[in-house]
Amino acid sequence: MLTQRPIEMLKLITPYALIVALVSMLVLALSLRETANMDVLMTRRESSRATRRGLVQRLHLDIVAALVALCGFAVSLYLGGLNNLLDVRTKSLLATPLSLAAPLFLIIAAVLLFFRFYPLLLNLAARLAGQGRGAASMLALAQISRSPGQSTRMILLLALALAFTIFTSVFTTTQNEHARSLASYETGADFSGPLPGNGTYSPTPQEARQELGNVPGITAFSAGFSGSGATKAADGNGPSILFQVRAVDADTFGSTAYWPDQPQLTSMMSQLRARRSSSTDAIPAYVDQLAWDKLNLHVGSTFTISVSNLDIAELPCVVLGKVEHIPTINDSTQGSLEGEVPPSAGVLVDFQTYLKAYQKSEQSIGFTSGSKPLILNQFWMRTTNDATTLANTRSALRIALGSRYDQTIFDRRAILDNLRTDPLSLNLLGILSIGTVVALILAIVGDLLASLLSVRPRLTNFAVLRALGTSPGQVASVLGWEQSLIYSVGILLGLLAGVLLSLTLVPNLVFSGLPNTGILSTLSNADFYALQQIISVQPVFPPTLIVAFVVLAIVFFVALGLMVRTVSRPSMGQVLRLNQD
């Protein structure tokens, strides 16, 4: 776009450039007007000791902005508590934009309040330092409190640049982690899908494995049953909800499935295996959050399931525990779109236990022949990560399944690669990264220049200190206290603002697209909206942020060294000599 269509690009950015130019000219005009109304004596006094408050403080606009921000936060929190009552489209159109605007208002209010209370805190710190024994800290705080404008600008420049650096790093890492969680949620393993059998007999796990043919690269394989129907509480008083059941082989599923967000999978399979010999008729089951909430379940409570494509009407289940999600099941708790199919709750049971209960129920009812068997119809596979072997695995599955491969098979790695190369995500992350790096570099250069420029007008003061017997080390200590205060406050404010932006904005900005090939490309609007709500977004703070703090530490020592060199280099006689004026 930049090289091939420059005229169109200039037309696009011209309005924004004009807005920036107008704002800059307005600020310059106000500054010139304020300066023109001051005489020479007032200007000298203000440069040595600031006494005039800004227009924002005189009109108390910072207090007004803080109240507006708090009201925005209150409304945002209120709407956030109504997520379960709002459908996903209403939430996207109303609650999400408000939750994005509220933190920005709070940041602006915090900046304005910082302008108001920072000089008061400096004066308090200067009085406390004056009661101590050290002269360096007292001189540094006294100098900054006399004229806090320069230090305020440096602190805010550093804090805002660091805040957006933290936000961009957290957003980039969280976006990648969310894509990984979403890909594993949609597949449940490296490969998953329906078995190619005709559904007229119940194959053994070994026979189910052979139905896929000679597929290379498989390190673990598991087969089970997948079905849908309705469920309700055992007492019949609770509501009946849609559900999907996953009857898995507890012996092999734990080593085959890929559930990075559910670390308790191994213990769950152990509990299901241990209950196979139970004498009770209820089937041990794990339920997801949606079933837990809708049926008011607890550990040990019972409910019934009824699979729509089987003959047995109802089978009792007993709750062993709760998991937040069962992968491959759309159990969004955020509501559904109006007029669309509502989300389904999830139930996870052991296939052998389920088959035993099903056959026992068949015998008690009197089914001897002609009933629909409970068969293995779903498979999960774990494969190697080798690129060549993985390509051979996909080719073998495509040969075994034919045209059904693209419509039925979930490939975790292919989905993850497609999500991470989504054009919208790449453009957004690229723009944020470039803008953040440029802002951080400008902030570092700006603080270095501001440090040097703040020292030059004070050469006479430091020369007087040296003439009174102050050693170069003590002068460096005064400058070190000043720079330490500026950088410490800037880093602290940047950390607070960065964490605030990350915790509030990132969960609302992370948004996964859909693969342009495969079964996920055929999802409906309802499924697409629900897909964004199923996996909750948790901001991830990357360890690479330490690099930013190391860079700031280096900049601090460089600035301190340049300031000490600037102060110590000129001779006292040259600095203290009066000019003709």
Side-chain angles (χ1 to χ4, degrees):
M1 290 293 293
L2 290 175
T3 57
Q4 298 179 3
R5 303 175 63 183
I7 304 300
E8 289 80 0
M9 290 299 299
L10 287 176
K11 291 181 180 179
L12 288 175
I13 66 174
T14 296
Y16 302 102
L18 290 177
I19 293 174
V20 173
L22 290 176
V23 173
S24 302
M25 294 300 295
L26 179 61
V27 173
L28 180 59
L30 292 177
S31 301
L32 291 176
R33 181 177 178 275
E34 185 177 0
T35 305
N37 293 331
M38 298 174 62
D39 54 24
V40 176
L41 181 58
M42 186 180 299
T43 304
R44 293 296 299 270
R45 287 177 178 176
E46 289 295 325
S47 62
S48 61
R49 182 188 295 272
T51 58
R52 297 184 60 187
R53 294 187 303 170
L55 179 64
V56 172
Q57 296 183 12
R58 292 198 300 268
L59 297 179
H60 301 286
L61 295 181
D62 48 357
I63 305 298
V64 174
L67 294 177
V68 171
L70 291 177
C71 292
F73 255 115
V75 174
S76 177
L77 291 177
Y78 174 74
L79 292 178
L82 299 178
N83 279 343
N84 293 333
L85 302 178
L86 301 175
D87 62 73
V88 292
R89 183 174 292 163
T90 303
K91 181 176 180 294
S92 300
L93 295 177
L94 179 62
T96 300
L98 184 60
S99 62
L100 293 177
L104 298 180
F105 276 108
L106 186 62
I107 294 295
I108 295 173
V111 169
L112 296 176
L113 291 176
F114 176 75
F115 277 115
R116 176 178 290 272
F117 293 106
Y118 179 66
L120 300 178
L121 294 177
L122 284 177
N123 291 330
L124 178 61
R127 294 192 186 97
L128 294 177
Q131 298 176 2
R133 297 182 178 181
S137 60
M138 181 195 66
L139 292 174
L141 290 171
Q143 174 60 35
I144 296 177
S145 63
R146 287 171 62 90
S147 183
Q150 183 70 14
S151 63
T152 302
R153 289 188 288 270
M154 294 176 62
I155 289 173
L156 290 179
L157 181 63
L158 178 60
L160 293 178
L162 182 59
F164 285 106
T165 300
I166 295 174
F167 165 73
T168 302
S169 301
V170 172
F171 177 73
T172 303
T173 306
T174 305
Q175 180 77 22
N176 292 329
E177 288 297 317
H178 183 67
R180 181 185 63 85
S181 300
L182 191 59
S184 62
Y185 176 85
E186 289 299 321
T187 58
D190 290 342
F191 288 89
S192 65
L195 287 170
N198 55 17
T200 59
Y201 72 101
S202 180
T204 64
Q206 292 75 17
E207 292 173 343
R209 167 70 181 83
Q210 293 174 359
E211 288 182 359
L212 294 175
N214 185 20
V215 179
I218 299 178
T219 59
F221 180 87
S222 182
F225 171 77
S226 174
S228 60
T231 182
K232 61 182 179 180
D235 55 9
N237 295 326
S240 179
I241 62 174
L242 298 178
F243 87 103
Q244 294 188 36
V245 62
R246 296 292 184 266
V248 301
D249 183 4
D251 295 325
T252 59
F253 189 75
S255 59
T256 304
Y258 187 83
W259 291 14
D261 298 325
Q262 305 288 349
Q264 70 272 30
L265 179 61
T266 303
S267 63
M268 291 167 54
M269 295 298 105
S270 299
Q271 290 292 329
L272 291 178
R273 287 195 302 269
R275 298 298 185 97
R276 286 175 176 173
S277 59
S278 177
S279 58
T280 60
D281 294 332
I283 304 171
Y286 284 91
V287 298
D288 61 6
Q289 186 69 47
L290 181 60
W292 184 275
D293 294 337
K294 294 293 184 181
L295 298 178
N296 296 319
L297 299 177
H298 57 84
V299 175
S301 61
T302 58
F303 62 97
T304 61
I305 60 175
S306 176
V307 180
S308 58
N309 59 347
L310 296 178
D311 289 329
I312 303 303
E314 294 180 349
L315 288 176
C317 295
V318 60
V319 178
L320 292 184
K322 176 191 67 172
V323 293
E324 184 177 0
H325 301 288
I326 297 178
T328 72
I329 297 178
N330 174 15
D331 60 349
S332 173
T333 59
Q334 305 298 326
S336 59
L337 296 181
E338 183 179 356
E340 299 285 354
V341 178
S344 300
V347 180
L348 183 69
V349 298
D350 175 51
F351 179 79
Q352 293 186 23
T353 308
Y354 187 35
L355 179 61
K356 178 182 177 181
Y358 187 84
Q359 293 174 346
K360 183 178 180 181
S361 181
E362 279 184 324
Q363 295 175 0
S364 63
I365 294 176
F367 284 150
T368 56
S369 62
S371 63
K372 297 179 181 178
L374 180 64
I375 64 172
L376 299 173
N377 61 2
Q378 192 79 11
F379 77 89
W380 297 268
M381 292 192 315
R382 176 163 290 193
T383 60
T384 60
N385 292 320
D386 180 68
T388 303
T389 307
L390 184 60
N392 295 332
T393 302
R394 289 170 177 159
S395 300
L397 284 176
R398 192 177 296 275
I399 294 173
L401 298 174
S403 60
R404 293 179 297 172
Y405 179 85
D406 292 329
Q407 286 76 31
T408 60
I409 298 302
F410 290 87
D411 185 345
R412 181 181 65 84
R413 297 183 184 89
I415 294 175
L416 179 58
D417 293 340
N418 212 313
L419 290 176
R420 286 182 172 175
T421 56
D422 179 64
L424 177 61
S425 299
L426 291 179
N427 285 335
L428 183 59
L429 295 177
I431 292 173
L432 279 177
S433 301
I434 294 174
T436 301
V437 170
V438 172
L440 185 61
I441 292 176
L442 291 177
I444 292 175
V445 175
D447 276 351
L448 282 175
L449 294 177
S451 300
L452 294 177
L453 293 176
S454 64
V455 169
R456 292 185 181 278
R458 297 164 52 197
L459 289 177
T460 303
N461 297 337
F462 288 109
V464 170
L465 289 177
R466 292 168 57 192
L468 293 175
T470 304
S471 63
Q474 292 173 325
V475 173
S477 179
V478 173
L479 295 175
W481 271 95
E482 292 183 8
Q483 294 300 300
S484 298
L485 177 64
I486 292 173
Y487 279 89
S488 298
V489 175
I491 291 176
L492 178 61
L493 293 179
L495 280 174
L496 294 177
V499 171
L500 174 64
L501 291 175
S502 299
L503 295 179
T504 54
L505 293 183
V506 168
N508 295 290
L509 285 179
V510 170
F511 187 84
S512 296
L514 288 177
N516 52 22
T517 59
I519 187 172
L520 288 183
S521 62
T522 61
L523 288 182
S524 64
N525 289 336
D527 293 330
F528 177 72
Y529 271 96
L531 196 64
Q532 312 305 323
Q533 308 295 333
I534 289 175
I535 302 297
S536 59
V537 179
Q538 300 296 332
V540 180
F541 290 82
T544 53
L545 286 174
I546 300 176
V547 177
F549 293 101
V550 172
V551 172
L552 291 178
I554 295 174
V555 171
F556 166 74
F557 287 108
V558 170
L560 182 61
L562 293 176
M563 293 175 67
V564 172
R565 181 175 180 273
T566 302
V567 171
S568 305
R569 187 174 182 180
S571 62
M572 290 184 292
Q574 181 181 0
V575 176
L576 295 176
R577 184 179 297 113
L578 296 179
N579 55 26
Q580 295 179 354
D581 296 333

